[in-house]
Amino acid sequence: MLRNFIFWLSTKKSVTNALAERGMRYGFARRFVAGEALDDALAASKELNGQSRSVSLNHLGENVSTADEARKVAESYASMLRALDRDSLDGNISIKLTQLGLDFDVGLCRSLARDIAATAAGMGRSVEMDMEGAAYTEKTLRIFEAVQREFPATGLAVQAYLHRTADDLERLSALKPKLRLVKGAYREPPAVAVQKKSQVDDNYRKFIATLLDGRFFPAIATHDLAMLDHARAIIREQKISPDKYEFQMIYGIRRDLQAQVRGEGHALRIYVPFGTEWCPYFMRRLSERPANCLFVLRSLFAESGKSHTPATGS
Ligand code: FDA
């Protein structure tokens, strides 16, 4: 209920604008977002690399509506790759196809995605495609298949909650691709996705086993201890070597588990989001864990306490 309410709030401009105005200034947004500028994300990546974790940079923002905007985003993805390379950081980038024109020109989107993957491949790096709402799944898969055939290191997120995912895994297996298994972050109807957490978790467990069966390079992306334990048990039993899979977690979430997983010698990649359009992303993280709202509320109360004091430097 609270989860749905926060998710609904995330679609309200007045709320997101108010948060956006205060989030970075008062620090609470930095819990899940590295900052607004690429340099902030690079600084966070350097620190994470220092802890033996690789990164996947994600420039926040979603659907664009013109070809010019799509090309600008593609250029910004290319600059992220150049910056990772210049600073010799261990990382790749995650891209969202709706930022590259998926809504209005699939051909343009495919060609921009291809160019970004080519730039990455030229540096010995890779690109991972995020999976967005179910309306985009089929189109995303088709673009992924085209790009991955040319650039095999390209990865794709697959969502455990979708009914179609078991079939998609069979379809994709011929490519031997890198797949990032996530539970799924969007609100989807019962016709498209299972609704109960227990069902999502059952699917997730089943797909961990599928992804670890040798036909994929699996990236197990979760902070759920039960899912992590399931994956670690299979890895142990089947003696799967640490270069054949990785775990992925999100910047700022369950840092205790991040340290534990890395401490056990598993490869760990941290998804590092940054950018000025951080608010909808931030609200999604809040909706996943309403307890997170407490620290936002504390920050906002602290702010109203300060409202009698002249603001300094902003
Ligand atoms: P679950 O939601 O069951 O949470 C398990 C535990 O993790 C919680 O009990 C809590 O301890 C902790 N936790 C989870 N979320 C938290 C939060 N926001 N704050 C604090 N603690 C939290 N989705 C998608 O649809 N498309 C995509 O491309 C991606 N990409 C992606 C990349 C990476 C690296 C990750 C880790 C996740 C995604 N996701 C995603 C998001 C994913 O679908 C899912 O919404 C979140 O990972 C939360 O699910 P968990 O598997 O962590 O389990």
Side-chain angles (χ1 to χ4, degrees):
M1 180 87 159
L2 185 54
R3 215 182 145 139
N4 287 337
F5 176 64
I6 299 168
F7 202 82
W8 174 79
L9 281 181
S10 74
T11 63
K12 300 289 149 217
K13 271 271 171 237
S14 53
V15 175
T16 54
N17 286 347
L19 271 181
E21 210 180 284
R22 295 164 176 80
M24 287 293 165
R25 192 152 34 114
Y26 291 96
F28 58 81
R30 284 194 186 264
R31 167 74 195 273
F32 300 125
V33 180
E36 294 196 333
L38 175 56
D39 279 348
D40 297 324
L42 295 171
S45 302
K46 193 170 174 202
E47 195 179 332
L48 290 162
N49 279 183
Q51 298 161 348
S52 308
R53 296 158 205 200
S54 61
V55 297
S56 190
L57 297 189
N58 172 239
H59 190 194
L60 294 168
E62 275 151 51
N63 310 46
V64 300
S65 49
T66 68
D68 272 356
E69 282 176 304
R71 287 199 185 91
K72 262 191 204 131
V73 173
E75 182 41 43
S76 87
Y77 283 143
S79 351
M80 285 155 61
L81 284 163
R82 285 193 292 271
L84 283 172
D85 217 47
R86 181 200 60 210
D87 294 356
S88 304
L89 291 167
D90 179 3
N92 66 20
I93 64 167
S94 284
I95 67 175
K96 277 195 169 50
L97 296 186
T98 57
Q99 289 185 295
L100 297 175
L102 191 61
D103 281 314
F104 56 90
D105 188 341
V106 173
L108 172 71
C109 181
R110 188 190 311 110
S111 127
L112 293 174
R114 187 234 163 251
D115 291 349
I116 297 161
T119 304
M123 300 167 174
R125 292 177 186 269
S126 64
V127 168
E128 295 186 21
M129 295 183 192
D130 285 353
M131 188 57 87
E132 303 179 67
Y136 301 110
T137 312
E138 182 58 33
K139 289 197 255 182
T140 302
L141 246 77
R142 287 194 188 161
I143 293 181
F144 170 73
E145 286 167 326
V147 173
Q148 198 271 353
R149 273 197 190 96
E150 206 179 341
F151 303 104
T154 309
L156 175 71
V158 288
Q159 295 159 326
Y161 63 11
L162 294 186
H163 300 312
R164 59 175 287 160
T165 295
D167 290 339
D168 289 343
L169 295 186
E170 290 313 307
R171 166 175 162 185
L172 292 168
S173 63
L175 298 170
K176 294 197 164 288
K178 175 174 187 178
L179 294 183
R180 175 205 298 159
L181 180 62
V182 302
K183 289 191 182 180
Y186 298 82
R187 295 285 170 271
E188 303 293 2
V192 168
V194 296
Q195 305 291 306
K196 288 193 190 145
K197 175 173 162 53
S198 61
Q199 295 172 311
V200 180
D201 289 356
D202 286 349
N203 281 0
Y204 198 96
R205 280 194 195 86
K206 192 172 76 192
F207 295 142
I208 288 177
T210 309
L211 286 187
L212 285 167
D213 73 8
R215 293 178 295 162
F216 307 89
F217 182 94
I220 296 152
T222 182
H223 318 91
D224 186 333
L225 187 55
M227 303 302 122
L228 289 171
D229 282 346
H230 189 72
R232 290 185 286 203
I234 298 178
I235 289 165
R236 219 174 21 250
E237 279 158 22
Q238 300 184 3
K239 300 190 173 56
I240 301 174
S241 106
D243 58 343
K244 296 278 185 285
Y245 64 89
E246 70 184 22
F247 286 95
Q248 294 192 357
M249 297 194 202
I250 295 179
Y251 183 78
I253 296 185
R254 291 303 306 258
R255 284 168 285 197
D256 56 335
L257 277 184
Q258 296 183 11
Q260 186 195 91
V261 162
R262 189 62 202 112
E264 290 166 355
H266 304 287
L268 176 64
R269 186 180 300 278
I270 306 297
Y271 185 88
V272 179
F274 74 97
T276 51
E277 288 181 51
W278 51 266
C279 214
Y281 171 89
F282 177 73
M283 296 287 281
R284 278 207 291 280
R285 299 290 81 80
L286 292 189
S287 80
E288 281 163 1
R289 192 138 196 265
N292 287 337
C293 293
L294 281 179
F295 83 87
V296 174
L297 286 174
R298 273 200 300 270
S299 309
L300 289 175
F301 279 124
E303 175 190 352
S304 59
K306 279 180 203 157
S307 64
H308 301 293
T309 316
T312 51
S314 57

